[in-house]
Amino acid sequence: MSSFIPLARVAVGDQPYEPFVSKNNQFIVAFVLLLISLTLSGVFALNRSLISLPVVGVPASLAFG
Amino acid sequence: MRLSTLLISGAAALCASVSASAPNATRDQSRQILLSEFKPPQVFENTNLVRNVNLEKGYPRETINVVVKNVDKEPQTYYYLAFDATVVDRVGGLEVRNKKSEIAEPYQIDFGSFSETDAVNFYRISIDPPLAPSADLTLSISYTVLSALTPLPSVIEQMDSQTVTYNTSAYAISAYKTHNQKTKLRFPSTNIPDYTTLPSTSSDNPSDPTRQGASFTYGPYVDIPALTTAPISFRYEFTKPLLHAPSLQRDIEVSHWGGNVAFEEHYALHNRAAALKNHFSRVQWQMTQYSSPPTTALKELRIPLRAGSSDPYYTDDIGNVTTSRWRPKTGLLEMKPRYPVFGGWKYTFKMGWNADARMYLKKAGAESYLLRVPFLEGPKMAEGVEYEKVSVRVILPEGAINIGLNTTVPIESSEISIHRTFMDTLGRPTVIIHATNVVDEWRDKGDLLITYDYPWTAGYRKPLTLAAAVFSLFAAVWVLGKVDTRIGKK
């Protein structure tokens, strides 16, 4: 992490960067994911078992992430 | 044992001092130290030289067009550009181009000599391709000088007009003999109470300088030896603030998930205009604001942002400053400082805004990106703003690799560092660019081009780390729930 690589003359098309989730949908996507995560956490809290740990815990944590 | 401890602590102290001085070391590397008694070889002659000094802003902008002739028998590569030692530290934005070919890139410039004792310092310009014997080349040299104007008198009444002094030389200081030269100066107004008159050199001009309205012409002068100066000084009216920023820190943060580029700028402004003779009178200030007379105080900063910018904010040490207006359609941000900034007063503030990533970021390949951001934005003022130290930090997303930088702006040094912020695991690669003696005209002239690769796996590092943390919490809850805490037999 000390020096720059020489900048090659890259042929850049007129292709602007588009994010995976567009700016207008950020709130709704994040809200739905958080809701799923909290619901699944609640389900896991009521029914703590070795099976529900991967079945409910994994999607809950992924949704939170 | 004791000796080895001493050695280890000594080595650690040495390492610490080396790492602490590293940024300065990189900055100094651009300065090639020559012998203190260095004299440039007299292999060139200036056939014709015209120097233009524009004083319409708060800093002088000098443009020198010079026809250079190689008088040696060998092709020559290095042309030395001389500066007075008192000025050289304040010279910025130096560019030397071949005047005849507009497409050619500026020549490479190295700082040639830097010694406390030298009266004249040199920049070394590498002419590529080398100039053949007896051949001519027209160079266009342009630069600005910071803190060059001094208010005289240094204290004035609140609504008085201001006059400033400017000292320079009637001859363009050059490392070579100059056959024919003249100096033209352009002032912001025709009110120039004092200026130096030199003995006339030609029968055509009864006086030197020749004056035409707000323009002065000194010369023509014939056969001036190398490193000759003829001091001249001026005092002219300039009832505007002299805006000087000792430091500007500009942060540009790129977010791929958010599709956002966030800008934030930290300004330290200082008005170099004449100080107030008496206390500031709010009553007098308020009474005169209706007619808006010329003043040396900074009343308003107008910052044109790129159209499409959003969510601007403007705060200072106290908090949000409400005296600002945002025009989203044109992207113009009009900000009033918390108080009128008179001569000698300072004002520090912070401003920032957001923009869509698509305005600045382009895909250059499957996983490689090209970021094109302006080197400088900030206030666009009639009187100009000068920045002593500018540091631009471009914070790239975590996991960006193969970083490349290209710019036409005369920067002093650049480095890659790591910026750590909330929930980062590795930290974000950050391109830090340092520049000194910059003026506001660079806001329209130079972009920073940064290329980097950003593998898709890097984008999922943070969500997966967070998911792992939450999952470990679930697992811990499950394990703790299994612990039998009952008292007595099962």
Side-chain angles (χ1 to χ4, degrees), chain B residues 46-50 64-68 79 137-141:
Chain B
N46 301 326
T47 318
N48 199 5
L49 187 149
V50 178
I64 300 172
N65 290 318
V66 55
V67 182
V68 174
Y79 181 87
L137 176 71
T138 309
L139 295 178
S140 173
I141 304 160

Side-chain angles (χ1 to χ4, degrees), chain B residues 323-367:
Chain B
T323 46
S324 63
R325 196 181 297 133
W326 167 237
R327 303 181 186 277
K329 274 187 187 166
T330 51
L332 181 67
L333 182 60
E334 296 166 357
M335 317 194 311
K336 281 186 169 51
R338 206 174 274 278
Y339 46 88
V341 185
F342 278 93
W345 294 11
K346 293 175 180 171
Y347 188 56
T348 47
F349 64 95
K350 175 175 92 174
M351 56 170 288
W353 66 96
N354 284 321
D356 258 349
R358 55 175 299 142
M359 288 165 61
Y360 298 98
L361 193 60
K362 291 209 162 105
K363 284 195 87 154
E367 288 181 341

